[in-house]
Amino acid sequence: PDEVPEGWRPVFEGLDDADREVVLAHEDTAALRRMAVFDVVTNNADRKGGHVLEMTDGHRYGVDHGLTFHHENKLRTVLWGWYGEPLGDEAVAGVQRLLDALGDGLADELAEHLTDLEVDTFARRCRRLLDRAVLPVPRGEWPVIPWPPF
């Protein structure tokens, strides 16, 4: 496989479905780290590489969030490069803002589109992330990278 470029994070090294060696990696940037935190709290089940759009000014947009907020843990993302690392001050502040907003009307707005269970689970995910203060480690009971990854 090709080497991981400087400034990138390896996510997966192994064999693809045709037994070819592959390396999946992503940029090591604050923007993508924020997106990884977003994926955790929304339980994104489909963050593929093609769902991260690069703008000419360097900004990244995350798109296609149709598989989010489920009450069962279904987190599947290509943005695993920071798993097990401390959450960091910026992420802690952002997740805390989400929790505060839930008490200030966001829960009611979300309830127009989500079930009560999904809203409650979203709040629990935010609290659990703050309590643990580290980005989660992939679990084996569910494929952790969506297929195809791009």
Side-chain angles (χ1 to χ4, degrees), residues 21-145:
E21 290 185 7
V22 295
V23 175
L24 176 62
H26 61 71
E27 295 173 315
D28 186 6
T29 63
L32 285 187
R33 186 179 172 102
R34 282 190 298 274
M35 198 177 297
V37 172
F38 174 84
D39 285 352
V40 171
V41 297
T42 63
N43 193 28
N44 193 341
D46 196 33
R47 171 70 68 213
K48 298 177 179 183
H51 297 167
V52 179
L53 304 181
E54 178 182 6
M55 301 292 102
T56 56
D57 65 358
H59 185 79
R60 304 290 184 265
Y61 283 100
V63 298
D64 191 359
H65 298 104
L67 297 176
T68 54
F69 291 104
H70 198 280
H71 67 276
E72 294 176 21
N73 183 35
K74 295 185 176 194
L75 180 60
R76 292 189 307 167
T77 178
V78 295
L79 300 177
W80 285 108
W82 301 277
Y83 73 83
E85 291 188 7
L87 203 51
D89 294 341
E90 179 187 14
V92 167
V95 175
Q96 187 60 58
R97 280 193 306 274
L98 282 173
L99 277 175
D100 295 344
L102 284 169
D104 290 335
L106 178 60
D108 293 333
E109 290 181 46
L110 289 175
E112 295 177 20
H113 308 283
L114 304 174
T115 67
D116 290 344
L117 178 58
E118 290 167 334
V119 174
D120 291 344
T121 304
F122 172 60
R124 272 197 315 275
R125 255 188 231 103
C126 289
R127 285 191 295 273
R128 184 174 48 236
L129 188 57
L130 290 177
D131 289 345
R132 294 180 180 167
V134 297
L135 284 157
V137 173
R139 296 198 231 166
E141 70 262 9
W142 184 260
V144 298
I145 297 174

